[in-house]
Amino acid sequence: LVLGWLTAQLVARLEDRLIVTSLTTILAFGSYVAAEYFHVSGVLAVVVAGLLCGNVGMAGASPSTKIMIFNLWEYLAFLSNSLVFLLIGLSVDLTLLWENLPVIVVAVVAVVGSRAMVVYGFSWLARLWGKASRIPSSWRHVLFWGGLRGAISLALALSLPATMPARGQLQAMTFGVVLFTLLAQGTTIQLLLERLGLTERSPQWIAREMQLGRLFATQAGLRRLEQMHREGMLPDEMWAGLREGYRQDQKKVIQEIKQLFREHAELEGEMLFQARREALKAERGALWDALRRNLLSDPVHEELSTDIDYRLEALDLIYSATHERPSVEEEG
Amino acid sequence: MCVFDPSFAGPLNGGLTAAVEKEQHWLGRALLGIAQARAQKEGVDASAVVLSGPVLETIETYLRQVNASTLVIGEPKIDSALSAFRPGRVFHFADRVRQDTGVDVLVVSPEE
């Protein structure tokens, strides 16, 4: 808690991205070592320190710093997850799992049951809080069934002291729960999402994607023909005929997209946000190129790219608000 | 006319507040640009204005400033928390503007 709070204060005040990112890595290792020294759980200490730093410190950090920290930790999380699951494969003794099957079943029931109590119980409490806090029933089911266990549970189980009584049984229970959540819940969550209608896309959305796909394909075809003509592989008359055919196709698709936008205003809004986001990312890329070509100095690049990062964050906020329903209806 | 209320996101840090306002302006201009291009295609000359502030008050102040005789609002098809003209409430909004300013208000459905 103390280390997390101190780092959060520094993160909120410092502006250098590299120093702030380095501080978060020091926090991760430092809090683990400090907790071990005081004979408390190092893994939980790192989680708490990360929660504090991520919620208190990051709120004041600039978008560029946030992007750098999130990218780094996303990669490190991916790497550690892969290593932990490799470690499971190496450490799981199938005979130990089989011998402990009854306690594993108890652990699975306890974990799934407690998840149900937390999700449905707190949703019920949230409902009492007011209409705005209501969580639709389909979301509640996903929250319940989506509680997959992984790296943290395993890291905790593997870090149990070797002298601890029933250490093997506790590890078998943890492995069993992790395997159950991965194999049973992990493989069926998509099915649940489909059943609850949460992954369904509207017909107009699919139609828009189809038209865009056709447009991209037509443009690529036309580009290739142009290249063939330039290289002398395509005689002039043939090129003219083929080009006309492709242009007609292109015109038709563009007309159909326009018609779709006229009928479904929300698609046009979606396209506007998408285009703006792409443009801002291109602007950031151009600044990075200019920096590498020494056309911009570091401070100028920093200031301009921070502004674009703020714009991107602002765009996401506006997009979320535009797509947020005024009140969540109960689905029964 | 495009009016946005930058307070929708609640309290934000300084840089982000300014960015939200700038981005809303940018999107407002882009939206109105699309509308202007369409109007021009139909032979209608249109000018555009992007305003910020509480939606009702800002529209009313602007109507008084330009001595408007009629306000035309498009009835929304999409419901969103950000829009002041929610499908069921747009007529109530129109009544309110009519009462406060005396300006004639028309609500036009996209199908009309």
Side-chain angles (χ1 to χ4, degrees), chain A residues 69-306:
Chain A
I69 291 178
F70 286 132
N71 284 345
L72 173 79
W73 283 103
E74 199 180 345
Y75 169 66
L76 289 177
F78 169 74
L79 200 68
S80 351
N81 254 324
S82 312
L83 290 175
V84 167
F85 285 110
L86 184 71
L87 196 63
I88 306 176
L90 294 171
S91 344
V92 167
D93 180 353
L94 287 176
T95 48
L96 190 77
L97 283 181
W98 184 250
E99 281 165 15
N100 288 289
L101 195 61
V103 282
I104 289 174
V105 172
V106 172
V108 168
V109 172
V111 167
V112 174
S114 57
R115 177 89 184 172
M117 279 163 63
V118 169
V119 170
Y120 293 108
F122 275 100
S123 305
W124 181 76
L125 282 176
R127 202 171 156 180
L128 295 179
W129 194 262
K131 209 177 169 186
S133 319
R134 280 186 185 177
I135 301 168
S137 59
S138 55
W139 294 15
R140 288 200 291 263
H141 302 326
V142 175
L143 280 171
F144 158 63
W145 198 241
L148 268 67
R149 311 283 149 177
I152 292 183
S153 318
L154 289 166
L156 281 167
L158 290 169
S159 64
L160 290 174
T163 50
M164 188 178 170
R167 179 178 185 261
Q169 200 175 36
L170 280 170
Q171 285 185 342
M173 286 164 80
T174 314
F175 289 157
V177 169
V178 171
L179 278 178
F180 173 80
T181 62
L182 282 180
L183 299 178
Q185 290 173 272
T187 53
T188 52
I189 190 83
Q190 183 65 29
L191 196 73
L192 180 73
L193 288 169
E194 282 167 18
R195 279 278 168 91
L196 294 170
L198 294 172
T199 53
E200 271 174 24
R201 289 180 308 161
S202 61
Q204 60 266 27
W205 184 260
I206 296 169
R208 172 202 171 237
E209 232 177 75
M210 290 281 286
Q211 305 293 18
L212 278 180
R214 282 195 191 118
L215 192 63
F216 292 148
T218 314
Q219 280 167 343
L222 196 60
R223 272 200 303 273
R224 177 67 187 134
L225 290 178
E226 195 179 1
Q227 189 188 11
M228 285 168 77
H229 175 246
R230 240 188 358 255
E231 289 166 358
M233 292 158 71
L234 216 57
D236 286 348
E237 307 82 47
M238 200 179 278
W239 158 237
L242 288 167
R243 184 180 55 192
E244 194 44 39
Y246 266 94
R247 280 193 177 153
Q248 288 297 329
D249 286 353
Q250 228 174 0
K251 228 168 145 180
K252 198 175 156 221
V253 176
I254 291 170
Q255 280 304 325
E256 282 170 359
I257 292 178
K258 276 186 183 168
Q259 181 62 28
L260 206 61
F261 281 168
R262 263 197 294 274
E263 286 167 11
H264 306 282
E266 72 277 16
L267 292 179
E268 198 172 49
E270 194 77 31
M271 189 85 179
L272 184 72
F273 276 108
Q274 206 178 335
R276 177 65 175 153
R277 199 171 288 124
E278 287 292 315
L280 283 171
K281 283 181 184 168
E283 284 182 31
R284 196 168 54 188
L287 287 177
W288 176 244
D289 276 347
L291 177 75
R292 288 180 62 187
R293 287 160 57 205
N294 287 327
L295 297 171
L296 289 181
S297 63
D298 266 327
V300 170
H301 168 262
E302 179 74 25
E303 195 180 326
L304 292 175
S305 55
T306 300

Side-chain angles (χ1 to χ4, degrees), chain B residues 42-62:
Chain B
E42 301 296 323
V44 178
D45 242 356
S47 56
V49 58
V50 183
L51 304 164
S52 72
V55 179
L56 180 75
E57 290 83 345
T58 309
I59 289 180
E60 289 183 351
T61 310
Y62 186 72

Side-chain angles (χ1 to χ4, degrees), chain A residues 59-61 258 262-266 268 272-273 276 280 307 310-311 313-315 317-318 321-326, chain B residues 8-9 12-16 19-24 26-27 30-31 34 38 41 77-83 86:
Chain A
K258 276 186 183 168
R262 263 197 294 274
E263 286 167 11
H264 306 282
E266 72 277 16
E268 198 172 49
L272 184 72
F273 276 108
R276 177 65 175 153
L280 283 171
D307 182 54
Y310 269 128
R311 289 284 195 113
E313 206 175 334
L315 190 68
L317 272 173
I318 300 168
T322 316
H323 286 71
E324 186 189 321
R325 296 269 165 200
Chain B
F8 80 92
L12 301 167
N13 73 42
L16 194 54
V20 165
E21 205 155 327
K22 277 193 222 166
E23 206 47 39
Q24 280 184 317
W26 197 95
L27 289 170
L31 273 171
I34 298 171
R38 282 184 186 155
K41 220 172 164 185
K77 269 177 148 184
I78 314 154
D79 201 3
S80 105
L82 197 62
S83 173
R86 291 183 192 160

